[in-house]
Amino acid sequence: MPKGRKVRVIDPKGKQVADFLAFNAVEPREFLSTGATIDNNGSLYIKVGQHLYSNLYRPMLRVTADTVGAHDLLHPPCSPAMYRCQYGITGPHPSCHENFKKALAEYGLDESCIWTPFNIFMNTRVHEDGRLEIKEPLSRAGDYIELEAMFDLIVAVTACSVEESSCNAGRCGPIKIEIY
Amino acid sequence: MPKGRKVRVIDPKGKQVADFLAFNAVEPREFLSTGATIDNNGSLYIKVGQHLYSNLYRPMLRVTADTVGAHDLLHPPCSPAMYRCQYGITGPHPSCHENFKKALAEYGLDESCIWTPFNIFMNTRVHEDGRLEIKEPLSRAGDYIELEAMFDLIVAVTACSVEESSCNAGRCGPIKIEIY
């Protein structure tokens, strides 16, 4: 995704989370850091006009449009380890972590590159006492977020595989990607 | 730090943050994940009796005592990139990231192993709207947290270097470590 291009992540049917990673295309040791993003914005949430930052505290993507306004910067991608721990699932189960691993391998990036993603449409609510609630996404059919690349990027997106909680309202659907 | 041992991280003078990382001593690709910790505990904060989890969603350290009760699981370690971005500091400045990098090199771990630490005594308060405030630590002279190793660990701790905000109440002091 070259500098200046915009990626639109669309929820075609509604209530589907999309996990999103990004890397500097030239030097992938610079990558999207949800921690630096939370730190620089002083918030767990992100708004139109704000940036997602890299681990080098540089603006990496700018939010140029957002029809939903509720996303998550806290949760790791779902993974075989998470399904085992939280749901007792030991057999095969699709996961964001495995999807990222397969897709990033084509770019020479191994799973050590998979940090906490920007979890688009994931509706994590926080209380003053720090308690978190994962509620159904607010996204309805056709809703989207649009992100502009601040420099040349490798971007990976996966529709989240969790059917066991309200994360995706109990069932999984597609995610559509458009690049402008 | 062998399984069953306890590390006590002590703030001898008060209001000093200690950044804390941990790795599986046998397979350091398993490491302390603040994301998995937040996910499994359903909270931004951690209490006595709860665990810090690894990226494989396994209990890694148990909080066995805590005289403060206000710590942070959100912020990256301070780094040259952070000082440049947030304070315009381009010259030398001590940082948690550089301290970790130096210490971990002795164990064959490079800086790609430095994830978000458990920021002990860092008093990050959250509001319902997601806004974060970094307040002065609540720790007074002699306060501590005690963590028990669930398996053999490599642990790294650094006194945080930020003098530019209320993170360490505007000045830096020592951190004391005891292993039981």
Side-chain angles (χ1 to χ4, degrees):
Chain A
M1 194 178 154
K3 177 181 175 178
R5 292 275 177 89
K6 291 176 182 172
V7 57
R8 193 174 280 194
V9 179
I10 305 158
D11 184 355
K13 296 193 171 175
K15 302 192 176 183
Q16 174 60 46
V17 168
D19 283 28
F20 181 100
L21 295 176
F23 302 86
N24 181 327
V26 178
E27 177 42 88
R29 278 181 299 186
E30 181 175 15
F31 52 82
L32 172 59
S33 164
T34 58
T37 300
I38 287 170
D39 190 3
N40 272 347
N41 293 332
S43 177
L44 300 181
Y45 304 122
I46 188 160
K47 294 176 188 166
V48 172
Q50 290 185 322
H51 291 90
L52 293 157
Y53 291 86
S54 76
N55 59 317
L56 301 184
Y57 277 72
R58 294 204 302 154
M60 199 165 189
L61 292 139
R62 190 163 60 92
V63 183
T64 51
D66 180 8
T67 66
V68 178
H71 314 286
D72 173 276
L73 291 161
L74 294 171
H75 285 82
C78 65
S79 64
M82 185 283 274
Y83 286 110
R84 192 167 50 240
C85 172
Q86 296 193 351
Y87 302 110
I89 296 167
T90 53
H93 191 299
S95 73
C96 290
H97 189 278
E98 295 298 298
N99 290 345
F100 280 141
K101 189 174 162 183
K102 261 179 265 175
L104 292 172
E106 295 175 33
Y107 294 85
L109 301 173
D110 70 13
E111 65 184 320
S112 71
C113 301
I114 304 173
W115 277 58
T116 300
F118 176 38
N119 299 305
I120 296 169
F121 311 130
M122 184 174 178
N123 185 16
T124 305
R125 295 294 100 190
V126 65
H127 299 278
E128 298 260 351
D129 63 0
R131 194 167 44 86
L132 296 173
E133 276 186 287
I134 301 172
K135 299 195 166 188
E136 290 192 1
L138 300 180
S139 50
R140 289 175 297 186
D143 273 333
Y144 63 87
I145 191 170
E146 193 181 79
L147 305 167
E148 180 185 355
M150 296 294 104
F151 47 89
D152 293 356
L153 299 177
I154 297 166
V155 160
V157 190
T158 169
C160 176
S161 314
V162 175
E163 293 184 315
E164 292 79 5
S165 77
S166 52
C167 180
N168 299 301
R171 87 286 168 274
C172 295
I175 283 290
K176 192 175 169 191
I177 309 292
E178 291 175 355
I179 308 266
Y180 295 93
Chain B
M1 194 179 154
K3 176 181 175 177
R5 292 276 176 88
K6 292 176 181 172
V7 58
R8 193 174 280 193
V9 180
I10 304 158
D11 184 355
K13 297 193 171 175
K15 301 191 178 185
Q16 175 60 45
V17 169
D19 285 27
F20 182 100
L21 294 177
F23 302 86
N24 181 328
V26 178
E27 176 43 85
R29 279 181 298 186
E30 181 174 15
F31 52 82
L32 173 59
S33 164
T34 58
T37 300
I38 287 170
D39 190 3
N40 271 347
N41 293 331
S43 177
L44 299 180
Y45 304 122
I46 189 162
K47 294 177 188 166
V48 172
Q50 291 186 321
H51 291 90
L52 294 157
Y53 291 86
S54 76
N55 60 318
L56 300 184
Y57 277 72
R58 294 203 304 154
M60 199 166 189
L61 293 140
R62 191 164 60 94
V63 183
T64 50
D66 180 8
T67 66
V68 179
H71 315 286
D72 173 276
L73 291 162
L74 295 171
H75 285 82
C78 66
S79 63
M82 185 282 275
Y83 286 109
R84 190 166 53 240
C85 172
Q86 295 192 352
Y87 302 111
I89 296 167
T90 52
H93 191 298
S95 72
C96 290
H97 189 279
E98 296 298 297
N99 290 345
F100 281 141
K101 188 175 162 182
K102 261 180 265 175
L104 292 173
E106 295 176 34
Y107 294 84
L109 301 172
D110 70 14
E111 65 183 318
S112 72
C113 300
I114 305 172
W115 277 57
T116 301
F118 177 38
N119 298 306
I120 296 169
F121 312 129
M122 183 173 179
N123 185 15
T124 305
R125 295 294 100 191
V126 63
H127 299 278
E128 298 260 354
D129 64 359
R131 194 167 42 86
L132 297 173
E133 276 186 287
I134 300 172
K135 299 196 165 188
E136 291 192 1
L138 299 180
S139 50
R140 289 174 297 188
D143 274 333
Y144 63 87
I145 191 171
E146 192 181 79
L147 305 168
E148 180 184 355
M150 296 293 104
F151 46 89
D152 293 356
L153 299 177
I154 297 165
V155 160
V157 190
T158 168
C160 176
S161 314
V162 175
E163 292 183 316
E164 292 78 5
S165 77
S166 52
C167 179
N168 298 303
R171 86 288 168 274
C172 294
I175 284 290
K176 192 175 168 192
I177 308 293
E178 292 175 355
I179 307 267
Y180 297 93

